[in-house]
Amino acid sequence: MHIPDGYLDPISAGVTWAIMLIYGFFAYRKAALGKNLEVVVGLAAAIFIAQMFNWPIPGGTSLHLVGGALAAIMLGPFEAFFVLLLVLLAQTLVFHDGGITTLGANVINMGVVAPLVGWAAWRLLSRYNKPLAAAVAGWASITVAGMAAGFEIGVSPYFPYAWTISVPVMTTWHALLGIVEGVITAAVVEYLLRRAPQYVRV
């Protein structure tokens, strides 16, 4: 899902950077980072390792676990933004996984869209069945995030395929990977509910 440098035109890159910074400021004011800083950093390290497993797909990008829904379920969507921001900064600046010009788009997809979608699904369904709600949250989060990434590259004149191609391709592949993301999210949430329920927001 990481969009590399050269896929977005300067306008798209600038707009996504601006959205990332504005949302980041809003999330900073809403998040309780001082209270949850240790969990934010620890979870970022765990998700960083999980995202190292990548599967290439047609179109020059790849599939991997995201962890946005899990972070939102554990910390809330605004703290989850900073979890994924740490992950993406390390990947971009140290390992060159995702571009600097496309950091805004990547953070929007994985640090904004995925946590918000996962959090919404969790809040909607967790009252009925928490493991199922976590599974749906994990699946929906990565599927919609993949759709957003497909749209961003599809509307960029630098990308060789239109959004009518990139969106269905990215959405379909991420919907399939979302099954794995959903199972892992449900398994972790179920474990936390049994062993450390204080780390699950209900």
Side-chain angles (χ1 to χ4, degrees):
M1 188 184 296
H2 292 69
I3 303 173
D5 282 325
Y7 276 46
L8 297 184
D9 63 290
I11 294 177
S12 298
V15 169
T16 50
W17 259 89
I19 293 173
M20 176 190 72
L21 293 174
I22 293 170
Y23 184 87
F25 178 74
F26 178 75
Y28 178 76
R29 293 176 62 89
K30 290 287 187 180
L33 286 180
K35 178 182 175 182
N36 299 309
L37 187 59
E38 292 182 358
V39 180
V40 168
V41 174
L43 189 56
I47 291 176
F48 174 84
I49 294 172
Q51 287 196 7
M52 293 182 70
F53 299 95
N54 285 266
W55 297 272
I57 62 173
T61 185
S62 62
L63 290 171
H64 56 79
L65 299 175
V66 172
L70 178 61
I73 292 170
M74 291 181 63
L75 291 164
F78 302 119
E79 287 85 350
F81 169 84
F82 292 98
V83 171
L84 274 299
L85 179 64
L86 287 175
V87 172
L88 288 163
L89 282 173
Q91 291 171 335
T92 301
L93 300 177
V94 180
F95 296 94
H96 308 293
D97 189 8
I100 293 176
T101 60
T102 55
L103 179 63
N106 288 326
V107 171
I108 289 172
N109 301 333
M110 288 178 266
V112 179
V113 173
L116 286 177
V117 171
W119 178 248
W122 170 253
R123 294 289 291 175
L124 183 65
L125 301 173
S126 61
R127 72 189 71 177
Y128 305 111
N129 185 306
K130 289 182 172 54
L132 179 61
V136 173
W139 176 82
S141 68
I142 194 171
T143 300
V144 179
M147 182 188 304
F151 180 78
E152 289 158 356
I153 59 178
V155 297
S156 170
Y158 287 10
F159 193 67
Y161 303 102
W163 68 270
T164 52
I165 296 175
S166 61
V167 169
V169 169
M170 291 289 285
T171 304
T172 300
W173 282 107
H174 283 87
L176 291 173
L177 177 67
I179 297 172
V180 179
E181 178 106 7
V183 169
I184 292 174
T185 303
V188 174
V189 170
E190 176 68 10
Y191 177 83
L192 290 174
L193 286 170
R194 292 175 182 272
R195 300 291 185 179
Q198 68 272 23
Y199 291 116
V200 179
R201 290 201 172 187
V202 294

